[in-house]
Amino acid sequence: MHSFSDTPAGFRSGFVSFVGRPNTGKSTLTNALVGQKIAITADQPETTRHPIRGLIHRPDAQVVVVDTPGLHRPRTLLGERLNEIVKDTYADVDVIGLTIPADEKIGPGDRWILDNVREVAPKTTIIGIVTKVDKVSRDEVAAQLVALYDLLGGDEANAEVIPVSATAGEQVDVLADVLVKHLPEGPKYYPDDHLTDDDIETRIAELIREAALSGLRDELPHSVAVEIDEMFDDPEGRDRLNIYAILYLERPGQQRIIEGPEGRRLQSIVQRSRKQIIELLDRNVYLDLRIKVLKNWQSDPKQLGRLGF
């Protein structure tokens, strides 16, 4: 990767990753720090399927946020592959933020994650982040900060813990300052107008997937994948981009859930994601979304490869 030479003296740059149990607010935090919606946020665990890098540009630093799938005990072949990607990512970053929500007790799952991260990235700085602090009282936030400080090893590890609320925008700047402090001095990796290095097709597929998952909670936890089949400028000369996408599910019953009564749910998925895609591309879009059932794709190596895992 080339660097951009106009970096002032003392400029810091590097890579940061957030780790934590599913749904601890990692993607929301990334979006708040970057100041633009790049990582998808949904109610399901494991919605983030591959590293999305968001960039924080400051006069004194450039922070590259690597958003990884949550580290979890694998149940399927997909789960094992995701864990491999995660481990590679953690070994490469400068700072890891362990996210713990303010409204849930620290448990064995958090300890398991911390042990795993320390194993794959023994030299990497780990800071503690208590998320969702807008949901509980100040006393509860304080108690959680102390518990997280102890989990990280307290004074022996010179542990740093920071409370944030990404949705309310509280303490996000403070967190950015702490992240920067732990980065090495170095060049800019990306130009100033760059926000994410994800290719546009992937971002569009993720927006569609997010719209499909929203409001479903547990009915289709991880059986949804989206593939962009074709994207091209409108052949009739209209100023719009035509996007043809396929939503893959594992069972016919899931198709009925996604379509909803008289296909209304599917229509609203198309409307919602189209609106987001228009916002992302700043141009008019025609979106054609079809559903295909691929039996048990998550455990089939051939299908996994086809869908990019």
Side-chain angles (χ1 to χ4, degrees), residues 21-87:
R21 281 178 291 129
N23 279 346
T24 50
K26 299 182 292 289
S27 291
T28 312
L29 196 54
T30 300
N31 291 336
L33 282 161
V34 173
Q36 219 206 39
K37 179 170 177 169
I38 57 153
I40 74 162
T41 51
D43 297 337
Q44 275 73 11
E46 286 172 62
T47 39
T48 309
R49 284 252 174 94
H50 55 90
I52 296 177
R53 293 177 172 80
L55 294 157
I56 304 164
H57 298 284
R58 301 181 13 152
D60 60 339
Q62 187 177 74
V63 186
V64 186
V65 183
V66 183
D67 191 30
T68 60
L71 198 57
H72 56 94
R73 295 189 171 94
R75 289 183 309 275
T76 59
L77 180 62
L78 172 64
E80 282 168 41
R81 290 201 183 171
L82 289 180
N83 277 1
E84 287 313 305
I85 299 171
V86 173
K87 286 178 177 171

Side-chain angles (χ1 to χ4, degrees), residues 117 156 219 268 286 295:
V117 169
E156 294 157 46
E219 291 144 292
S268 89
Y286 164 76
K295 281 230 160 65

Side-chain angles (χ1 to χ4, degrees), residues 100-117:
I100 304 273
D103 57 352
E104 290 174 39
K105 282 264 182 288
I106 290 176
D110 301 305
R111 195 163 277 110
W112 181 86
I113 286 171
L114 181 60
D115 292 346
N116 268 275
V117 169

Side-chain angles (χ1 to χ4, degrees), residues 106 130 139-152 154 161:
I106 290 176
V130 173
D139 290 352
E140 286 169 284
V141 171
Q144 192 74 316
L145 286 168
V146 171
L148 180 50
Y149 182 73
D150 292 342
L151 176 72
L152 289 171
V161 291

Side-chain angles (χ1 to χ4, degrees), residues 90-138:
Y90 293 144
D92 277 348
V93 299
D94 301 292
V95 184
I96 291 169
L98 175 64
T99 57
I100 304 273
D103 57 352
E104 290 174 39
K105 282 264 182 288
I106 290 176
D110 301 305
R111 195 163 277 110
W112 181 86
I113 286 171
L114 181 60
D115 292 346
N116 268 275
V117 169
R118 287 223 163 112
E119 196 180 309
V120 295
K123 294 189 172 70
T124 308
T125 303
I126 298 178
I127 61 169
I129 304 168
V130 173
T131 57
K132 308 185 182 185
V133 299
D134 51 300
K135 292 192 164 180
V136 298
S137 72
R138 291 212 156 161

Side-chain angles (χ1 to χ4, degrees), residues 26 44 52 61 79 89 97 105 133 148 167 169-170 187 199 221 231 242 247 264 267 281-282 305:
K26 299 182 292 289
Q44 275 73 11
I52 296 177
T89 305
K105 282 264 182 288
V133 299
L148 180 50
T167 45
E170 283 171 46
D199 69 83
M231 273 196 341
N242 292 354
L247 190 73
R264 282 198 296 271
Q267 281 169 357
L281 303 178
D282 200 21

